[in-house]
Amino acid sequence: AQSVTQLDSQVPVFEEAPVELRCNYSSSVSVYLFWYVQYPNQGLQLLLKYLSGSTLVKGINGFEAEFNKSQTSFHLRKPSVHISDTAEYFCAVWGRSTDKLIFGTGTRLQVFP
Amino acid sequence: DAGVIQSPRHEVTEMGQEVTLRCKPISGHNSLFWYRQTMMRGLELLIYFNNNVPIDDSGMPEDRFSAKMPNASFSTLKIQPSEPRDSAVYFCASSLSDALDYNEQFFGPGTRLTVL
């Protein structure tokens, strides 16, 4: 069975500081990996996705993530955050065997001035 | 382009009442998903349809929950009778699925349900 673990429920950070949101997955088969962002009172928006190819994936709003198969991780990074990045971030995995998108529990990023 | 449309955006009801949530997927999409988001359980897939047919409803919590998709442009999620523990945000998502590979799901803004 596939699962996703987001190790940090909350990450506080000051504006312009770098940030890393951690995500680990478990699966016995090849998977696709995603990061979604949810701004307050809104739906989920796709930030970036890894399907195949280069393990470093660049997304919107200056975010990037690196797929590490040996460590089964897909951590999200941004070198310099803005106040507007304050939101909930969800890591998700999809596998062909289940045809379902499985979400982690989310990490709330709080950016302080 | 209009995205996934959900109505109502907010619903407050009393325990025991019937609640109907509505979703209009993106035109041309053939897969539709209903998710529930709570603090305790996070984001859970309740049911999904492909070409208007329910494919997997294993996430539906109990018989009080039912979902229909009478045509390609409309779906409902009904709770009867509602209970306070059903309070959550319910999301609808749609995708253009070829059943061979993952296809991006586009999410609606959600319906915040409060059952008193």
Side-chain angles (χ1 to χ4, degrees), chain A residues 32 34 36 38 41-46 49 51 88 90 94 96 98-101 103-105, chain B residues 9 33 35 37 41-43 45 48 56 58-59 91 100-102 104-105 107-110 112:
Chain A
Y32 297 162
F34 308 84
Y36 282 82
Q38 183 181 26
N41 300 314
Q42 295 187 27
L44 276 71
Q45 179 183 1
L46 184 65
K49 59 187 175 186
L51 305 182
E88 189 93 18
F90 293 91
W94 181 86
R96 194 170 285 107
T98 61
D99 194 25
K100 289 181 181 180
L101 198 57
F103 286 89
T105 51
Chain B
R9 292 293 310 275
F33 308 80
Y35 290 89
Q37 184 179 37
R41 300 174 67 90
L43 202 61
L45 177 66
Y48 82 90
D56 185 344
S58 59
F91 288 102
L100 298 176
D101 206 349
Y102 173 79
E104 182 178 346
Q105 296 181 23
F107 284 77
R112 182 174 296 276

Side-chain angles (χ1 to χ4, degrees), chain B residues 45-89:
Chain B
L45 177 66
L46 299 178
I47 184 171
Y48 82 90
F49 296 84
N50 183 257
N51 294 323
N52 310 338
V53 176
I55 302 301
D56 185 344
D57 65 354
S58 59
M60 296 286 264
E62 47 196 280
D63 292 345
R64 298 184 296 106
F65 286 70
S66 62
K68 294 182 179 179
M69 192 163 186
N71 57 63
S73 59
F74 183 66
S75 176
T76 59
L77 177 67
K78 186 177 292 187
I79 308 172
Q80 166 64 17
S82 59
E83 297 182 2
R85 59 194 170 116
D86 301 331
S87 298
V89 181

Side-chain angles (χ1 to χ4, degrees), chain A residues 1-3 26-28 98:
Chain A
Q2 296 149 11
S3 67
S26 67
S27 176
S28 59
T98 61

